[in-house]
Amino acid sequence: MTVAASTALSAGTWTIDPVHSSVGFSVRHLMVSKVRGNFETFSGAITVSDDGTPAVSADIDVASLNTGNPDRDAHVKAADFFDVEKHPTATFRSSSVRSTGDGYVLDGEFTLKGVARPISLALEFNGVSPGTGHGEVAGFEASVVLNRKDFGIDIDVPLETGGAVVGDKVTIALDIEALKLA
């Protein structure tokens, strides 16, 4: 027996389930490949008003960065990049959601390393499931390409052949499962 997912979030608060969600990123390395990683600790909520308007808030523990290489992770957490001692948390607060016909755009303010900028995430709503006995579950995928220099991460290590060790564009990819609070 299969149950089809519904296409609307009901009013109330939906909490991001970190066990079934991920916050990942990729950035060009040496101009020829990409380094990928994720943030292992994050939280957030989607609050849907009675008129159906959603508001999203999320916090990311920047020190939970994991690229699979402890030495690289330590460098990226240091002052050259994220400076997690001074800026341990990245935040997102939505301002609107717009339909694009086949998906959505989630607009809001993203703060990283103490710098707040407006961003727009391409958002796909995967529907709502009745869940497995713990309440309704909603699924989303979202992505955005950011310029790291816009957030004060402006270290440059040029290559002799041109380009840089680390690219400017960083792709953020979110796979989110949210649980409706009773």
Side-chain angles (χ1 to χ4, degrees), residues 135-147:
E136 292 177 279
V137 176
F140 307 88
E141 294 175 42
S143 63
V144 64
V145 177
L146 304 174
N147 186 320

Side-chain angles (χ1 to χ4, degrees), residues 132-175:
T132 58
H134 300 288
E136 292 177 279
V137 176
F140 307 88
E141 294 175 42
S143 63
V144 64
V145 177
L146 304 174
N147 186 320
R148 65 182 175 84
K149 291 181 178 181
D150 289 346
F151 294 92
I153 303 169
D154 52 11
I155 183 173
D156 272 326
V157 181
L159 295 170
E160 289 179 21
T161 57
V165 171
V166 177
D168 293 344
K169 293 181 181 179
V170 180
T171 301
I172 308 294
L174 308 166
D175 288 299

Side-chain angles (χ1 to χ4, degrees), residues 46-129:
I46 304 160
T47 304
V48 181
S49 66
D50 289 335
D51 70 3
T53 304
V56 178
S57 64
D59 298 312
I60 300 168
D61 176 0
V62 181
S64 73
L65 170 126
N66 182 356
T67 66
N69 181 303
D71 291 335
R72 176 176 47 221
D73 294 351
H75 185 210
V76 174
K77 293 174 190 179
D80 284 347
F81 289 92
F82 288 133
D83 198 1
V84 298
E85 289 292 319
K86 292 182 183 173
H87 308 285
T89 306
T91 62
F92 176 78
R93 303 294 180 257
S94 70
S95 57
S96 68
V97 178
R98 301 177 275 130
S99 176
T100 61
D102 60 346
Y104 300 89
V105 173
L106 178 62
D107 296 311
E109 184 175 83
F110 183 60
T111 303
L112 176 65
K113 200 175 176 182
V115 178
R117 297 259 190 248
I119 66 169
S120 296
L121 293 101
L123 176 68
E124 182 179 339
F125 174 49
N126 298 326
V128 178
S129 166

Side-chain angles (χ1 to χ4, degrees), residues 16-25 39 42 121-124 126 138-143 172-178:
I16 293 173
D17 178 359
V19 174
H20 296 103
S21 300
S22 65
V23 176
F25 64 90
F39 295 94
F42 52 89
L121 293 101
L123 176 68
E124 182 179 339
N126 298 326
F140 307 88
E141 294 175 42
S143 63
I172 308 294
L174 308 166
D175 288 299
I176 302 296
E177 197 170 282

